[in-house]
């Protein structure tokens, strides 16, 4: 399956939405404006302005709207041959871009024997699944393959964040999840470790050297890692399900729906919490270093 990415203005994204109006999908993709599927190509427009085309004719469909962004297309030439069929430990994270809710990082190990089972479950890029599908699928994945899930709630996140910038924090969590899962599956060793790339390889290695116990062998980095191995897709689904569960808990505690993302609704809820309990209350539910905190203060 090929993919292509465009960076478009809000006006152009609205044109896309109008064009694909007969093909819109009724599913809630995090941080997206809309999702559609036409002629076997999945189209997802994100609030950031990026539009992702996935499918056998993705590049041709994207070409209707402009030139694809070469910086967003990550080649898999660095991966070993037949990588998708190898026994791989993959990791991914969810929640990094959401003001409310935790940062969830998961490592999952999919050996050759379980790849067919994961395919049969329908495991794929979590952005192509609805929240209800993700919740149900995560339960089955957890029963099928080994995994290690780390959940950093906002209160803990805020305590760590002054010493760890966002990238270093994710490096530390990916490294820890991978290390703990390697210990869990020992003496079995994966053919490779694949991290869904969130920073350059050089940057990752720079930060991981600051960890007392680090994993550096057989690690590969690639964007959209879920397209190259089901272990990353499984890790993404488990992370996303955990993130949704934590948002549900927060919503129950606060008596109001807690949104994902970092939009206007997040500002408004943050302002409400500041009125109710000040920064101490907001600290329990939100990542305070986001710009939303200052925006919320202006709404009081």
């Amino acid at each position: 399956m090929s993919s292509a990415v465009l960076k478009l203005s809000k006006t152009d994204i609205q044109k896309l939405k109008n064009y694909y109006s007969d093909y819109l999908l009724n599913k809630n993709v995090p941080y997206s404006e809309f999702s559609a599927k036409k002629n076997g190509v999945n189209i997802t427009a994100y609030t950031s302005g990026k539009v992702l085309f996935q499918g056998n004719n993705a590049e041709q469909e994207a070409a209707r709207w402009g030139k694809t962004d070469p910086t967003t297309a990550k080649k898999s030439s660095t991966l070993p041959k037949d990588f998708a069929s190898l026994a791989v430990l993959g990791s991914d994270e969810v929640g990094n871009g959401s003001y409310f809710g935790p940062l969830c990082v998961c490592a999952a190990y999919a050996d050759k024997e379980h790849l067919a089972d994961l395919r049969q479950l329908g495991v794929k890029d979590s952005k192509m699944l609805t929240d209800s599908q993700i919740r149900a699928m995560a339960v089955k994945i957890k029963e099928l393959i080994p995994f290690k899930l780390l959940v950093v709630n906002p209160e803990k996140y805020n305590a760590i964040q002054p010493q760890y910038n966002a990238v270093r924090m994710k490096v530390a969590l990916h490294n820890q999840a991978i290390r703990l899962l390697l210990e869990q599956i020992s003496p079995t060793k994966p053919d490779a470790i694949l991290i869904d790339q969130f920073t350059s390889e050089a940057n990752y290695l720079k930060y991981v050297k600051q960890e007392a116990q680090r994993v550096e062998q057989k690690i590969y980095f690639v964007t959209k890692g879920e397209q190259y191995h089901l272990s990353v897709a499984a890790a993404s689904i488990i992370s996303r399900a955990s993130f949704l569960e934590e948002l549900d808990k927060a919503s129950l505690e606060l008596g109001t729906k807690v949104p994902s993302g970092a939009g206007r609704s997040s500002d408004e809820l943050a302002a409400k919490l500041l009125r109710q309990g000040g920064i101490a209350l907001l600290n329990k539910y939100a990542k305070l270093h986001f710009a939303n905190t200052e925006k919320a203060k202006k709404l009081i």
Side-chain angles (χ1 to χ4, degrees):
M1 180 176 67
S2 63
S3 64
V5 177
L6 297 177
K7 179 73 173 179
L8 300 177
S9 66
K10 289 185 177 181
T11 301
D12 287 337
I13 286 178
Q14 186 58 49
K15 290 179 181 178
L16 258 74
K17 188 173 183 179
N18 293 339
Y19 178 82
Y20 294 115
S21 59
D22 292 335
Y23 307 94
L24 294 177
L25 299 176
N26 184 23
K27 64 178 184 178
N28 181 25
V29 177
Y31 322 127
S32 70
E33 296 285 352
F34 73 90
S35 295
K37 186 172 184 178
K38 182 184 179 185
N39 298 331
V41 178
N42 288 286
I43 303 105
T44 306
Y46 293 93
T47 53
S48 64
K50 288 187 177 181
V51 183
L52 174 64
F53 297 78
Q54 291 179 304
N56 293 333
N57 299 307
E59 293 178 356
Q60 294 92 317
E61 192 67 29
R64 293 173 179 267
W65 306 100
K67 187 177 180 180
T68 56
D69 183 355
T71 63
T72 60
K74 176 71 177 182
K75 295 182 179 179
S76 60
S77 58
T78 58
L79 298 178
K81 185 179 179 181
D82 299 323
F83 190 82
S85 63
L86 298 180
V88 173
L89 189 158
S91 66
D92 199 3
E93 84 283 336
V94 172
N96 181 62
S98 181
Y99 181 56
F100 287 105
L103 173 59
C104 302
V105 176
C106 181
Y109 175 61
D111 60 19
K112 298 175 183 179
E113 295 178 4
H114 288 104
L115 289 175
D117 296 325
L118 290 173
R119 290 192 195 94
Q120 190 170 1
L121 282 179
V123 172
K124 55 185 175 182
D125 183 355
S126 64
K127 296 184 182 67
M128 300 172 67
L129 300 169
T130 64
D131 287 350
S132 59
Q133 287 175 321
I134 286 171
R135 292 175 192 269
M137 200 173 289
V139 174
K140 296 177 181 178
I141 293 171
K142 289 178 181 179
E143 295 173 349
L144 185 63
I145 62 173
F147 70 95
K148 185 62 184 179
L149 174 66
L150 302 178
V151 179
V152 182
N153 64 45
E155 199 164 15
K156 179 68 173 178
Y157 181 99
N158 293 327
I160 298 171
Q161 192 273 326
Q163 291 78 40
Y164 282 66
N165 64 37
V167 174
R168 186 184 174 191
M169 191 183 301
K170 286 192 287 184
V171 169
L173 290 169
H174 275 265
N175 178 72
Q176 184 180 6
I178 291 167
R179 178 177 59 80
L180 292 174
L181 185 54
L182 285 172
E183 292 176 0
Q184 182 179 323
I185 65 174
S186 181
T188 300
K189 293 185 179 180
D191 295 325
I193 297 169
L194 181 62
I195 296 175
D196 191 50
Q197 189 167 12
F198 54 86
T199 188
S200 68
E201 181 175 350
N203 213 27
Y204 181 94
L205 295 176
K206 178 186 75 173
Y207 282 122
V208 83
K209 289 185 184 301
Q210 300 178 47
E211 299 302 308
Q213 295 177 285
R214 55 185 179 269
V215 180
E216 298 176 283
Q217 296 78 28
K218 293 185 177 180
I219 295 183
Y220 297 88
F221 305 85
V222 63
T223 55
K224 302 182 181 67
E226 63 279 354
Q227 296 181 13
Y228 298 98
H229 202 276
L230 290 177
S231 60
V232 177
S236 177
I237 290 169
I238 293 172
S239 293
R240 179 68 186 167
S242 176
F243 176 77
L244 292 172
E245 182 180 345
E246 293 300 317
L247 283 188
D248 287 346
K249 290 179 183 177
S251 298
L252 189 62
E253 291 171 3
L254 294 171
T256 188
K257 181 175 176 57
V258 176
S260 63
R264 177 71 179 182
S265 59
S266 295
D267 300 341
E268 292 171 349
L269 178 56
K272 180 180 178 180
L273 296 184
L274 286 172
R275 293 189 200 99
Q276 291 178 350
I279 200 72
L281 178 60
L282 187 59
N283 181 63
K284 295 180 180 180
Y285 297 98
K287 303 178 184 76
L288 296 182
H289 71 100
F290 276 43
N292 301 79
T293 302
E294 294 305 315
K295 292 178 182 178
K297 289 178 180 178
K298 294 177 182 178
L299 295 176
I300 299 176

